[in-house]
Amino acid sequence: MPELPEVETVRRGLESRLIDATVADVVVRDRRLRWAVAADFEAKLRGQRIVAIERRSKYLLFRLTKGNGTEKSTLLAHLGMTGSFVVHAADSPLAIKTHDHVDVVLTGRRESLVLRYNDPRRFGSMHHFAGLDAAQPLLAHLGPEPLTDQLTGEYLYQHTRRRSVAIKQALMDNTLVVGVGNIYANESLFRAGIHPDRAANQVSLARYKRLVLEVKTVLTEAIAAGGSTLRDFVNTAGQPGYFQLDYFVYGRDGQPCKVCATPLKLMRHGGRATVFCSSCQR
DNA sequence: CCGACAACCTGTGAGC
DNA sequence: TGCTCACAGGTTGTCG
């Protein structure tokens, strides 16, 4: 389901309802996520108050405190391919659906809430750890955030000089830059006019500058649209996205390029579909 | 260090 | 209607 814009959409939805709520209970129905949910997960979370909800790459970080506020910890969650968080009022009918794996029951300022995690493919994950630890193994090797000044054309150029992989694959490498998944890699390469199969070390500095501009633009547009609507994406109110981002290439193989009408081509990089225009992208 | 590929899972849609 | 197959937003781990 989620790429960075979707995760950011979820983060904003959760933030609007869960700040200052306190964990009253945790129910884990299936511990078998990407990594097994720790045996002491429920106990660690009970009594914690949510003070902030942040995002790093496609991870959500719920910042927590307990007691007088000096004891800080973090709930780290990833939605994988098919995970979703939906906030329910605790007193409304709550039929358990297939793949509703985790409930976090929260005492809010006005009403009791249930934060429910559903994930059919179970590629998502949940961890609780002490502190705000940037050294957490899952976070330690992540590249810069795309929507910060840390991502520049110069940065990408410098860090791809010895990389012969296709630019498409480099762009999706989380150690180089985070948050660019398959959809937005396809879209930003099209917008930048760069052939997805071009070796990363054969892309000029000028073209990396253009690519960075397009990555930032397409991600920003998608966030503004509330996350793209793809299959089962739902926001934290349980509603599907209301806006289908107007894709140039993603999912359009065989159809005419919206710029030059050349039929779009399909190829694969690491098992992931790449759609491109052989005329517009060089 | 780099790159290729398998693995983790279930659901859905296409084709027969 | 029902079966089989390919494929789907992500990331880690292993091997050469």
Side-chain angles (χ1 to χ4, degrees), chain A residues 186 251-254 263-268 272-276:
Chain A
N186 276 297
R252 296 192 67 245
D253 55 294
L264 298 178
K265 289 185 177 176
L266 173 68
M267 64 185 302
R268 291 197 171 270
R272 313 299 296 274
T274 302
V275 185
F276 66 103

Side-chain angles (χ1 to χ4, degrees), chain A residues 4 12 14 17 25 43 49 55 79-81 86 88 102 108 145 151 159 165 169-170 185 196 216 222 227 232 272:
Chain A
L4 185 146
R12 293 177 183 186
L14 296 176
R17 296 193 68 183
D25 197 13
R49 183 167 57 92
R55 179 188 57 72
L79 301 174
M81 294 269 249
V86 174
H88 299 271
V102 179
E145 286 288 325
L151 179 66
H159 287 82
V165 281
Q169 285 180 275
K216 290 173 189 274
D232 43 301
R272 313 299 296 274

